């Protein structure tokens, strides 16, 4: 048996356990042995029961003295009272409680010994642990696996208890020959713990050995990551890029026409970008800056450098409203320079035409210094709606219970009662899939068989919710559209009625590159492998994106001449081609033809996956890339997710900004804020009042804007109040904002729709209800809507949650308005979370490493990787060839082979 042996080959593992292990994606011996403990408990000797509350969770062992089940209304509470061994007169029992978990009472009985883990709190005279992790200690032949040692605690799932997982891993370690770490380390990083590292991480002899072997394995994870990052930087530098040689006259004219001067930080960053644009290797730079620091004007100046050299520039934003805002700002500033600008979103394609959202002579949201946009706006074209076919009924069950942004799904839909699809019907089904391709999803591959259809899709963004987050088309909606559209067309073409499709069947959620390639090839080979078509026979109902790529485009996609040659050879009719194209995700997939893309600017880049950014930037010659974020990045992350980027930081705010004072307030003292708010409105100022919800929810204890609006009208009478949220119709939304902008409306009761794109210098007060429900970064973004004029502004954070965690979190905003300090505090409070998911970063997942706790190890791994590749770039030395596999792994972290 070795690490590659399938668990199914081991007869001593029961079939139900195999299925449960699969839910954790554990299929081989190596997978299970690399299923690392999330923590360890030292069960060699237990401390005595505490006499007071504990700040951190503690591990205790005791005997169950009594149990009871109590009912309060509709709630059930099960209690188990533990007594420590060797109890004496001063000993105090410990009560463990579980709420509405009726099955717990079947697992715990009087006289059992329990190991419990949790935070002890005091309630009256009693010491309690609510919902502790627990394990029943059974005196059997396996007791030494689970007790009287440093014991591993694993991430588990239903059907796999801690005892079962621990026993499985213990037996595997007994039977496998060697269990070394899976990542080789250079001598500068190795601490001698490589041999049998997997055995030691699961069952260490003591805490010191555990510390050393964990450091060794974490260094391996970090070293693999840093090798891939260093290789990505080298690979990008080796690409053929665009050398943007120009005098910079357009950028100079633009900067000179601004009604304000660049700050020294803006000028420094612009110079860094300018230097990058002038060299042949492609730029790959991250521009970070606080809210209102002036990142956009620096990006515009950079785009003008590219345009003057004969290239095109693209500006991609994650939402339509932000793309339209950028488009209007660019038009206002660049129309006088004769720059041709185009907008490309999923529902709007315009060239130098004003937009309804920013028309009617209003100031551009996002810039208090921008003047007006022209009138005469035509209504936008929205995507057509598909009529439902009454006879096309289908079930909406059997869909996955989880859906992730930018996930790829393999789906199979069968026909009702194995109805055979005629050639015409198969063509209709394929056309239906292609109809929604690039409208609601990206289609990678499809195969329409006589009685079923296979396809591989990636759902697209649909809209934005009230918090500004991207909402994707759900699989339920997509399958309903495909089935309804195709069923209606088939019945109409064949003059029949009735149900076409069987209940849809979710095949699988693609988790890895091999998984994706396997399914991709299966779909494309299905007609021949199943015998529906002979091996040399053409089957026209199979489709892949490669089929579209073979069609000749009317525009040259990849210019091979340099920027000056391209500019000099332009034909007269090409003068309508835009210099700058602004758009959303549509820039990735719609028929947007770049004649010579020289610079790609990506705003709010963290909302795009690595594969999506690659679509815009993977053409040849390679465009320069500038990604921007208003969410400052903790320093540790600049070594990881953003390790392949050069970092530019605008750390200085423009002059003339008013001070913002932040106040924390409990909801029972709301009257103080209301009195202050009325004073400000009397003095001629304006206010935002922000809520987390539009309507009340039975599931969430939070106030809602729609209900509270009438209350605020009474509180602030006679001042005019208006309600704004995501469900307000666009024309009404524009009218509301226009009245607020003109000062006619004094208070705006709103959801987070105001987080981006609202700039009212006279608005000096913001009151945020249920502030505990927002993240620190979002609160900082909301607070950035005030303080844009010369008056001192006030932000009131109102919370009904008086817990220490909430007070600590909100106090950060009370102490500072510096976005970089807030980002670091958020990092400390919140932790890494899923910041390194492969869907977002394209980097391998961390199983053991913690970016906060192990920052020093990350720095060591980074230094070792840089030194290694600097001294041996091709890894040709015999002792370094073992590291080549670490870099090869990067090929396959994105879906480039099919997308």
């Amino acid at each position: 048996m070795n690490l590659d042996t399938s668990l199914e080959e081991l007869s001593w593992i029961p079939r139900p356990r195999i299925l449960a292990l699969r839910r954790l994606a554990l299929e081989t011996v190596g997978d299970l042995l690399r299923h690392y403990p999330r923590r360890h408990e030292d069960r060699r000797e237990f401390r005595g029961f505490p006499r007071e509350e504990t700040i951190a969770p503690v591990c205790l062992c005791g005997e169950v003295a009594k149990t009871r089940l109590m009912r309060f209304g509709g709630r059930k509470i099960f209690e188990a009272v533990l007594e420590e061994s060797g109890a004496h007169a001063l000993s105090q029992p410990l009560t463990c409680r579980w709420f509405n978990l009726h099955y717990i009472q079947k697992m715990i009985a009087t006289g059992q010994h329990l190991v419990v883990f949790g935070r002890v709190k005091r309630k009256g005279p009693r010491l309690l642990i609510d919902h502790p992790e627990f394990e029943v200690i059974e005196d059997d032949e396996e007791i030494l696996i689970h007790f009287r040692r440093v014991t591993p605690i694993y991430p588990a799932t239903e059907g796999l208890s801690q005892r079962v997982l621990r026993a499985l891993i213990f037996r595997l370690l007994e039977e496998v020959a060697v269990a070394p770490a899976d990542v080789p380390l250079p001598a500068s990083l190795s601490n001698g713990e490589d041999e049998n590292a997997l055995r030691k991480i699961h069952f260490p002899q003591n805490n010191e050995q555990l510390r050393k072997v964990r450091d060794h394995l974490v260094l391996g994870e970090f070293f693999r990551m840093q090798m891939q990052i260093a290789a990505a930087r080298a690979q990008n530098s080796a690409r053929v890029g665009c050398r943007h040689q120009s005098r910079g006259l357009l950028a100079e004219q633009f900067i000179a026409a601004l009604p304000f001067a660049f700050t020294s930080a803006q000028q420094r960053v612009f110079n860094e970008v300018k230097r990058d644009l002038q060299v042949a290797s492609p730029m790959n730079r991250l521009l970070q800056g606080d809210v209102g620091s002036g990142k956009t004007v620096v990006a515009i100046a950079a785009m003008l450098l590219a345009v003057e050299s004969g290239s095109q520039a693209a500006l991609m934003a994650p939402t339509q409203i932000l793309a339209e805002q950028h488009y209007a700002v660019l038009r206002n500033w660049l129309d006088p320079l004769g720059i041709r600008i185009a907008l490309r979103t999923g529902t709007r394609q315009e060239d130098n035409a004003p937009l309804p959202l920013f028309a009617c002579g209003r100031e551009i949201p996002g810039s208090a210094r921008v003047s007006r946009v022209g009138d005469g706006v035509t209504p936008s074209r929205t995507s057509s709606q598909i009529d439902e076919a009454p006879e096309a009924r289908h079930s909406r069950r059997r869909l996955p219970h989880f859906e992730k942004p930018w996930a790829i799904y393999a789906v199979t839909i069968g026909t009702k009662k194995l109805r055979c699809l005629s050639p015409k019907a198969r063509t209709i089904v394929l056309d239906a899939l292609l109809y929604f391709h690039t409208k609601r999803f990206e289609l990678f591959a499809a195969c329409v068989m006589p009685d079923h259809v296979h396809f591989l899709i990636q759902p697209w963004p649909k809209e934005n919710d009230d918090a500004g987050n991207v909402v994707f088309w759900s699989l339920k909606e997509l399958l309903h559209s495909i089935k309804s559209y195709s069923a209606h067309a088939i019945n109409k073409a064949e003059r029949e009625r009735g149900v076409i499709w069987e209940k849809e069947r979710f095949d699988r959620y693609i988790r890895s590159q091999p998984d994706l390639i396997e399914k991709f090839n299966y779909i494309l080979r299905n007609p021949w492998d199943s015998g529906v078509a002979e091996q040399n026979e053409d089957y026209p109902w199979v489709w892949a994106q490669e089929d579209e790529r073979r069609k000749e485009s009317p525009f040259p996609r990849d210019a091979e001449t340099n920027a000056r040659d391209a500019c000099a050879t332009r034909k007269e009719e090409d003068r309508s081609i835009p210099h700058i194209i602004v758009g959303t995700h549509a820039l990735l997939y719609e028929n947007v033809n770049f004649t010579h893309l020289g610079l790609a600017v990506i705003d709010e880049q963290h909302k795009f996956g690595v594969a999506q950014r690659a679509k815009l930037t993977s053409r040849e010659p390679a465009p320069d890339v500038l990604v921007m974020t208003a969410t400052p990045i903790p320093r540790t992350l600049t070594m990881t997710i953003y390790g392949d980027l050069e970092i530019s930081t605008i750390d200085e705010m423009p002059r003339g900004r008013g001070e913002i004072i932040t106040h924390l307030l409990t909801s029972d003292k709301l009257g103080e804020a209301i009195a202050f708010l009325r004073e400000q409105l009397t003095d001629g100022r304006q206010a935002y009042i922000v809520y987390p919800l539009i309507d009340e929810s039975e599931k969430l204890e939070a106030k809602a804007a729609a209900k509270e609006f009438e209350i605020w009208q009474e509180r602030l009478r006679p001042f005019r109040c208006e309600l704004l949220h995501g469900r307000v119709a666009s024309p009404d939304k524009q009218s509301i904002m226009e009245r607020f902008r003109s000062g006619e409306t004094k208070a705006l009761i709103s959801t987070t729709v105001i987080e981006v794109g609202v700039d009212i210098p006279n608005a000096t007060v913001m009151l945020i209800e249920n502030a505990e429900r927002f993240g620190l970064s979002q609160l900082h973004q909301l607070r950035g809507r005030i303080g844009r004029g010369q008056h001192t502004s006030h932000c009131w954070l109102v919370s009904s949650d008086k817990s220490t965690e909430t007070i600590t979190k909100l106090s950060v905003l009370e102490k500072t308005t510096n976005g970089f300090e807030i980002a670091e505090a958020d990092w400390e409070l919140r932790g890494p979370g899923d910041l390194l998911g492969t869907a977002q970063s394209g980097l391998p997942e961390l199983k053991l490493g913690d970016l906060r706790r192990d920052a020093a190890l990350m720095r060591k791994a980074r230094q070792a990787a840089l030194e290694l590749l600097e001294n041996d770039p091709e890894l040709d030395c015999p002792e370094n060839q073992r590291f080549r596999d670490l870099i090869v792994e990067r090929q396959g972290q994105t879906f480039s082979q099919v997308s």
Side-chain angles (χ1 to χ4, degrees):
M1 182 173 66
N2 56 43
L3 297 182
D4 295 324
T5 302
S6 172
L7 294 175
E8 288 187 329
E9 298 177 23
L10 305 179
S11 58
W12 52 271
I13 302 181
R15 180 69 180 173
R17 300 270 164 82
I18 294 289
L19 297 177
L21 289 167
R22 280 184 185 170
R23 288 200 295 273
L24 294 173
L26 306 176
E27 298 191 2
T28 68
V29 171
D31 291 339
L32 188 49
L33 292 184
R34 294 187 188 101
H35 185 66
Y36 298 128
R38 53 186 171 87
R39 61 182 175 85
H40 288 76
E41 292 177 355
D42 192 342
R43 297 182 178 179
R44 293 172 297 178
E45 183 176 348
F46 291 93
R47 57 185 291 183
F49 283 11
R51 298 184 182 181
E52 294 297 334
E53 293 188 351
T54 61
I55 298 176
V58 294
C59 181
L60 304 170
C61 182
E63 182 180 348
V64 180
K66 63 180 178 179
T67 65
R68 64 172 177 168
L69 180 66
M70 299 178 293
R71 290 178 171 84
F72 294 94
R75 293 203 309 169
K76 295 181 180 179
I77 303 177
F78 177 70
E79 289 188 349
V81 179
L82 302 186
E83 290 185 350
E84 60 185 321
S85 61
H88 49 81
L90 296 178
S91 298
Q92 185 169 359
L94 180 69
T95 302
C96 299
R97 304 191 300 182
W98 292 268
F99 297 85
N100 294 323
L101 295 175
H102 59 279
Y103 61 88
I104 296 291
Q105 70 185 91
K106 300 177 182 178
M107 303 170 65
I108 297 177
T110 303
Q112 289 179 333
H113 281 82
L114 294 187
V115 174
V116 296
F117 181 81
R119 191 168 70 86
V120 179
K121 65 180 182 180
R122 178 175 287 281
K123 186 174 183 180
R126 297 200 301 170
L127 291 176
L128 305 170
I129 302 182
D130 287 337
H131 288 268
E133 296 181 28
F134 74 94
E135 188 175 333
V136 178
I137 300 302
E138 300 178 11
D139 193 6
D140 55 20
E141 67 275 7
E142 291 186 347
I143 188 171
L144 293 180
I145 300 177
H146 313 287
F147 206 56
R148 300 190 185 101
R149 70 183 315 145
V150 179
T151 308
I153 306 297
Y154 297 97
T157 187
E158 184 180 355
L160 281 178
S161 67
Q162 290 295 329
R163 287 181 63 87
V164 169
L165 263 176
R166 203 177 294 129
L168 286 174
I169 292 172
F170 187 88
R171 181 164 177 178
L172 284 181
L173 288 170
E174 291 293 310
E175 295 188 6
V176 76
V178 290
D182 60 336
V183 179
L185 290 179
S188 60
L189 293 181
S190 180
N191 62 3
E193 292 293 332
D194 181 66
E195 185 177 356
N196 281 326
L198 295 183
R199 192 184 312 276
K200 295 173 185 176
I201 191 63
H202 290 288
F203 298 100
Q205 293 179 359
N206 50 53
N207 288 323
E208 176 62 20
Q209 186 183 73
L210 172 61
R211 183 192 64 77
K212 291 180 67 176
V213 74
R214 183 189 177 276
D215 284 356
H216 183 87
L217 292 172
V218 168
L219 277 170
E221 289 187 338
F222 288 170
F223 181 66
R224 173 199 279 128
M225 178 181 291
Q226 291 299 333
M227 286 292 285
Q228 293 186 7
I229 290 170
R233 291 177 71 108
Q235 184 180 19
N236 186 69
S237 299
R239 294 179 68 192
V240 177
C242 306
R243 187 191 296 270
H244 299 288
Q245 297 286 7
S246 68
R247 296 172 61 189
L249 298 179
L250 284 175
E252 288 178 8
Q253 292 177 47
F254 165 67
I255 295 171
L258 292 173
F260 55 90
F262 267 17
T263 63
S264 58
Q266 285 175 307
Q267 190 62 53
R268 180 188 72 248
V269 169
F270 177 62
N271 291 338
E272 291 171 354
V273 173
K274 187 176 181 179
R275 283 194 296 270
D276 282 355
L277 292 175
Q278 291 174 342
V279 299
S281 58
M283 174 177 72
N284 206 20
R285 183 170 290 275
L286 169 69
L287 170 54
Q288 63 174 343
D290 212 340
V291 179
S293 61
K295 299 180 297 297
T296 303
V297 289
V298 173
I300 293 173
M303 288 191 286
L304 290 176
L305 292 175
V307 168
E308 186 176 342
S309 72
S311 297
Q312 281 180 303
L315 173 56
M316 186 166 71
T319 65
Q320 178 156 339
I321 189 171
L322 191 54
E324 291 182 356
Q325 174 185 320
H326 283 318
Y327 177 64
V329 169
L330 287 169
R331 283 216 49 213
N332 188 79
W333 278 340
L334 302 185
D335 275 357
L337 298 178
I339 302 300
R340 295 187 295 275
I341 307 167
L343 176 69
R344 300 289 184 265
T345 68
T347 60
R348 191 189 301 277
Q349 300 197 13
E350 301 188 16
D351 294 79
N352 283 47
L355 300 171
L357 186 60
F358 303 105
C360 307
R362 294 179 287 119
E363 288 185 352
I364 306 299
S367 176
R369 305 180 177 94
V370 176
S371 58
R372 299 173 181 269
V373 178
D375 300 325
V377 181
T378 57
S380 66
R381 175 181 63 80
T382 57
S383 57
S384 59
Q385 302 296 317
I386 306 302
D387 293 330
E388 296 282 333
E391 63 269 30
R393 301 184 302 274
H394 57 272
S395 165
R396 300 188 181 188
R397 294 177 296 170
R398 302 187 182 183
L399 291 175
H401 63 278
F402 56 90
E403 295 188 35
K404 294 186 177 182
W406 300 117
I408 292 181
Y409 300 93
V411 180
T412 301
I413 308 176
T415 58
K416 188 72 172 179
K417 297 181 180 178
L418 297 180
R419 170 176 171 173
C420 185
L421 296 173
S422 66
K424 180 186 292 186
R426 279 176 257 176
T427 301
I428 290 173
V429 175
L430 187 55
D431 288 344
L433 290 168
L434 295 177
Y435 176 84
F436 293 108
H437 171 52
T438 75
K439 287 185 175 67
R440 299 186 183 183
F441 54 75
E442 181 168 11
L443 180 66
F444 296 116
C447 172
V448 185
M449 301 290 280
D451 59 359
H452 64 275
V453 56
H454 296 300
F455 51 92
L456 199 60
I457 60 170
Q458 182 180 53
W460 269 23
K462 176 183 178 183
E463 58 191 2
N464 291 86
D465 61 17
D466 294 323
N469 299 314
V470 177
V471 177
F472 286 72
W473 286 99
S474 69
L475 283 176
K476 181 187 295 184
E477 293 172 306
L478 295 179
L479 297 185
H480 181 74
S481 298
I482 294 166
K483 295 171 75 172
S484 178
Y485 183 93
S486 58
H488 178 74
I490 291 172
N491 282 337
K492 182 177 180 181
E494 298 186 346
R495 297 182 180 180
E496 293 186 10
R497 296 180 62 85
V499 178
I500 301 289
W501 298 110
E502 184 59 83
K503 296 175 181 178
E504 58 267 347
R505 178 164 63 87
F506 169 70
D507 194 339
R508 63 170 131 170
Y509 159 57
I510 303 299
R511 299 175 182 271
S512 64
Q513 180 77 353
D515 208 17
L516 178 63
I517 295 172
E518 175 196 341
K519 197 64 186 177
F520 180 75
N521 291 331
Y522 170 79
I523 290 174
L524 296 187
R525 292 290 316 161
N526 197 29
W528 295 274
D529 292 346
S530 63
V532 170
E534 297 296 332
Q535 290 301 320
N536 297 324
E537 181 185 352
D538 180 42
Y539 191 82
W541 300 286
V542 174
W543 182 93
Q545 287 196 6
E546 188 63 28
D547 300 332
E548 278 196 347
R549 294 195 183 103
R550 294 193 189 101
K551 298 176 183 177
E552 185 176 354
S553 172
F555 294 88
R557 189 173 180 86
D558 301 317
E560 294 182 0
T561 57
N562 61 36
R564 291 184 176 274
D565 292 339
C567 186
T569 58
R570 239 177 235 157
K571 297 181 180 179
E572 188 70 23
E573 57 268 24
D574 289 342
R575 291 182 180 176
S576 62
I577 294 176
H579 297 116
I580 297 174
I581 301 179
V582 183
T584 57
H585 309 80
L587 289 183
L588 307 175
Y589 306 104
E590 297 286 338
N591 295 322
V592 178
N593 294 287
F594 295 100
T595 58
H596 186 68
L597 180 60
L599 173 62
V601 179
I602 301 174
D603 196 11
E604 294 296 328
Q605 60 80 37
H606 58 280
K607 296 187 178 180
F608 296 95
V610 114
Q612 285 68 50
R613 294 196 295 267
K615 275 183 173 290
L616 188 62
T617 61
S618 60
R619 58 191 69 237
E620 296 294 341
D624 292 295
V625 179
L626 179 66
V627 297
M628 300 193 299
T629 180
T631 303
I633 298 163
R635 285 183 292 272
T636 307
L637 285 190
T638 63
M639 296 188 296
T640 53
I641 296 178
Y642 308 105
D644 60 336
L645 303 174
E646 301 295 334
I647 309 293
S648 289
T649 303
I650 299 180
D651 52 7
E652 179 183 358
M653 297 297 287
R655 295 179 182 176
R657 295 267 178 171
E659 180 187 7
I660 301 178
I661 301 174
T662 302
H663 314 266
L664 298 189
L665 201 67
T666 54
S667 53
D668 56 347
K669 296 182 179 179
L670 183 61
E672 298 178 17
I674 295 173
F676 179 83
L677 200 155
R678 288 189 63 89
E679 290 178 10
Q680 291 288 301
L681 298 187
T682 302
D683 291 341
R685 306 283 84 77
Q686 292 169 274
Y688 301 104
I689 300 163
V690 182
Y691 286 89
L693 303 175
I694 298 177
D695 299 312
E696 286 187 310
S697 168
E698 295 180 358
K699 298 179 181 179
L700 301 175
E701 294 183 6
K703 295 182 179 179
K707 182 177 180 181
E708 297 292 317
F709 172 61
E710 295 180 1
I711 299 174
W712 279 105
Q713 283 183 307
E714 291 299 321
R715 287 170 175 167
L716 301 181
R717 194 177 300 277
F719 299 108
R720 178 169 182 166
C721 304
E722 294 207 63
L723 175 66
L724 181 68
H725 54 71
R727 294 207 296 263
V728 174
S730 185
D732 295 336
K733 192 182 299 183
Q734 295 167 38
S735 301
I736 292 169
M737 286 307 304
E738 181 57 36
R739 288 190 291 273
F740 190 60
R741 197 179 299 279
S742 67
E744 183 180 349
T745 298
K746 295 299 183 182
L748 197 62
I749 290 79
S750 172
T751 59
T752 54
V753 293
I754 64 163
E755 183 182 354
V756 174
V758 177
D759 187 349
I760 314 293
N762 192 47
T764 59
V765 181
M766 175 170 284
L767 186 145
I768 303 176
E769 287 263 26
N770 293 116
E772 74 279 0
R773 300 201 64 83
F774 300 93
L776 278 181
S777 296
Q778 189 173 28
L779 288 171
H780 181 56
Q781 291 278 349
L782 285 166
R783 184 173 60 177
R785 298 309 105 204
I786 59 176
R788 293 175 170 261
Q790 58 183 350
H791 302 286
T792 299
S793 296
H794 296 263
C795 179
W796 298 79
L797 303 177
V798 183
S799 174
S800 57
D801 184 354
K802 300 180 182 180
S803 66
T804 303
E805 293 82 358
T806 294
I807 299 302
T808 301
K809 178 178 108 172
L810 298 181
S811 295
V812 174
L813 292 159
E814 188 179 34
K815 295 173 184 175
T816 182
T817 58
N818 185 303
F820 293 93
E821 294 178 9
I822 291 169
E824 291 290 342
D826 195 20
W827 174 249
E828 290 295 323
L829 290 170
R830 183 166 53 92
D834 191 34
L835 287 170
L836 281 180
T838 55
Q840 182 68 17
S841 68
L843 294 173
E845 178 187 3
L846 293 178
K847 294 183 178 181
L848 271 180
D850 182 305
L851 294 179
R852 284 185 307 159
R853 171 183 172 184
D854 302 315
L857 297 179
M858 177 66 80
R859 285 190 287 271
K860 287 179 63 176
R862 179 178 175 83
Q863 184 64 32
L866 291 175
E867 289 178 357
L868 182 65
L869 288 176
E870 183 178 349
N871 296 329
D872 187 8
E874 301 298 325
L875 299 178
D876 289 328
C877 296
E879 65 271 20
N880 294 336
Q881 291 180 11
R882 57 194 174 126
F883 301 125
R884 287 181 174 178
D885 288 343
L886 302 182
I887 295 176
V888 172
E889 284 181 11
R890 184 166 180 86
Q891 303 170 1
Q893 291 297 326
T894 65
F895 300 128
S896 57
Q897 293 189 1
V898 291
S899 62

